[in-house]
Structure formats: C-alpha cells, structure tokens
Amino acid sequence: MSTDRRSFLSFAAMTVAAAGIGALDLDAQAVPQKQRANVKNTSFGPLKHVDAGVLSVGYAEAGPPNGRAVILLHGWPYDIHSFVDVAPLLAAEGYRVIVPYLRGYGPTRFLSSETFRNGQPSALAVDLIALMDALKIEKAILAGFDWGARSADIVAALWPERCKALVSVSGYLIGNQQDGKLPLPPKAELQWWYQYYFATERGQDGYDKYRHDFAKLIWQLASPQWSFDDATFDRSAASFDNTDHVAIVMHNYRWRLGLASGEPKYDNLENRLAKGPAITVPTITLEGDANGAPHPDSNVYLKKFTGKYSHKVINGGIGHNLPQEAPKDFSDAIIEADSYSK
C-alpha cells in the first residue's frame, strides 16, 4: 500500500499511452488466479532467530545453505506468509531463501526497550543490511512488495554492491517527507484514507483495537478479486499481535506526512533518498492487473531503473499481495532477474 506520492502527482499529469513505451515487457497471458496459485503451503516450518542491528529478527529459511541468497520482504498489513508458496519454488531451484519478519511483526523484537520505535523507510532498509551482515550474506537478490519493495529499492539504490538483482512490486517506491506534504488529486487522496486516519489519536486507538478487522478490510480493498479464506488471513494476522506493531505502523505513516520526526542518525540517508537516486542493479518490476491499492503507473518510474530492466503486468485478477496471489509468476521473475546479472 506504500507508494511515492510524487509518482501519483506525475501520473495525474500524464497523458502518454502505455502502448507508446516500447521498453515494457507485458505479460498478456490472462490465466485465472485460482489456476495460477496451484501450490498451497500453509507454513514454513520452524523459524530461526538472529540478532541483527537493533533487532532480534525472526525469519524463515528454505533451500540449500550454500545457494544463491534471495531475501523476500513483506509489507503492511501482511507478513512472511505472503511468500509461503514462493519460497519452496525458489528452494527447488537451488536458492537459499530468507524471509524475515519486519520490525513490529511476528516474533521480531527490539533488543532494547529504550530503542525508539521508528517506522521510517531508511530505518527498515538499514534493518535489511544488518540482517545480511548478521547472516554473513555479502550480496543477495532482493524481492518484495509494499513496505518490503520500498526497503529493497532503497538498498538497491544506496548499497548496490549488496544487491545482485531486484524484483519490486509497484516499481520505484522511494519517497521523502517533502513530497509527502504535496496535495494530490481528490481521487488519489481518497485512496490514502487510512493514512489520514492514522494521523489522529482516534486512528491509533482504532487500529490498536480493531487491527485484525482493519487489516482484513485492507486486504479486501487492495486485492478485490482475491478470494482468500479466513485461515489464510488468520495466519498472517497473528503477526500483528507484536507489541511494537501499532507504534511502528503509526510512525511509518505519520513520518511520511511530516507529522512525526525520524532519528537524526538516518538524516544523511534520507537526504540522499530525497534526490530520487537511480537504481542501477538488474531489475524486474511487477504489477497485478487488479491492484486496488495506491500505486504509481509504470510509465512514471521507468527511467529510474538504469540497469537491465523489464516491467511485467501479471494478469488474471491479481491484486496487491502479488507473491501470495501469483507465487509462480513472482518466483519466475526472481529467477529471470537473477539471469540478468550473469
């Protein structure tokens, strides 16, 4: 659900037809969603834990320990189960697959009660670097959606030496507080209703009290054609019971609007990100044809990717939670992006 507001402003002003962009590689195969997601796993097995930076990170791992590393990153309000069908597909291809819970989700915890519960994007990206350091992973393929795609984009932009290839749902999601203050056209503002709700104390209390119902509503709005069952939702919803979850979510959205301050130690990173740095690593961006969440048009961010690049639209009623709704397409994109770097 997290997207660069500047992209929305640019998109609102655009009249260029998508057919005129020859660099796009569109997947025109309209396969019904229920036929695509033919792998149905329900769990990862025992989780692992590692101290990384300011966190004790809970994560799932699959595949050979000496395989090429792939790190899969979830968003809000989702968790690692977005990749429960992706991980075994990649493991079968010989990849070492790491799927961490972000700060504020599941078993991931802060090592100190004194640490500020910071949800700003650069902090989450630093978490990813710290995890790679803790696991002694020098370089990895990074893939994600929503908050996870933003973190992967940031690492690819600022630390390209740590990113072998990138798969990013909804493209280039790097933004900054100044852009967050710019008004959008009314229809675009309407899509961000929850961001303004979270800006209030009532919104914080309401999300705390009704977080599971709230998350289910977001799932339904973001993926209107995805017929997920209660068991699928409940597996992910359990991760929102993390004691830091509400604080992290509130700070993330309030920071974007300039209503909450970040930590000074991230100021340099945020200043670099505010310039909209290009991403040079091999990249595939993905979009579902039925994504009901706020997201920029691919024409807006096309030129942000200066390495080998392609964009794919995944058809068949695929919404915002693309890896869980179309796991084979997502894993295929990772394998293809990996081939770009060879």
Side-chain angles (χ1 to χ4, degrees), residues 202-213:
R202 175 180 175 139
Q204 177 171 307
D205 293 343
Y207 185 64
D208 192 12
K209 182 176 181 179
Y210 299 109
R211 69 183 80 173
H212 288 200
D213 292 341

Side-chain angles (χ1 to χ4, degrees), residues 14-92:
M14 291 184 67
T15 57
V16 179
I21 306 298
L24 298 187
D25 177 15
L26 301 182
D27 176 7
Q29 186 179 13
V31 180
Q33 186 184 127
K34 62 183 178 182
Q35 295 180 21
R36 307 173 80 90
N38 54 6
V39 182
K40 284 296 179 184
N41 297 288
T42 59
S43 69
F44 287 95
L47 295 177
K48 297 184 177 183
H49 299 266
V50 65
D51 289 352
V54 299
L55 301 172
S56 171
V57 179
Y59 67 98
E61 184 168 356
N66 61 345
R68 296 188 301 283
V70 178
I71 302 178
L72 306 177
L73 301 161
H74 70 83
W76 173 86
Y78 306 93
D79 80 336
I80 67 170
H81 290 90
S82 291
F83 305 103
V84 73
D85 291 327
V86 174
L89 293 173
L90 293 172

Side-chain angles (χ1 to χ4, degrees), residues 103 110 113-120 248 251 261-263:
R103 56 169 63 191
F110 286 90
S113 61
E114 302 301 316
T115 303
F116 178 54
R117 272 39 179 176
N118 186 348
Q120 73 183 108
I248 294 297
H251 186 263
S261 298
E263 293 179 87

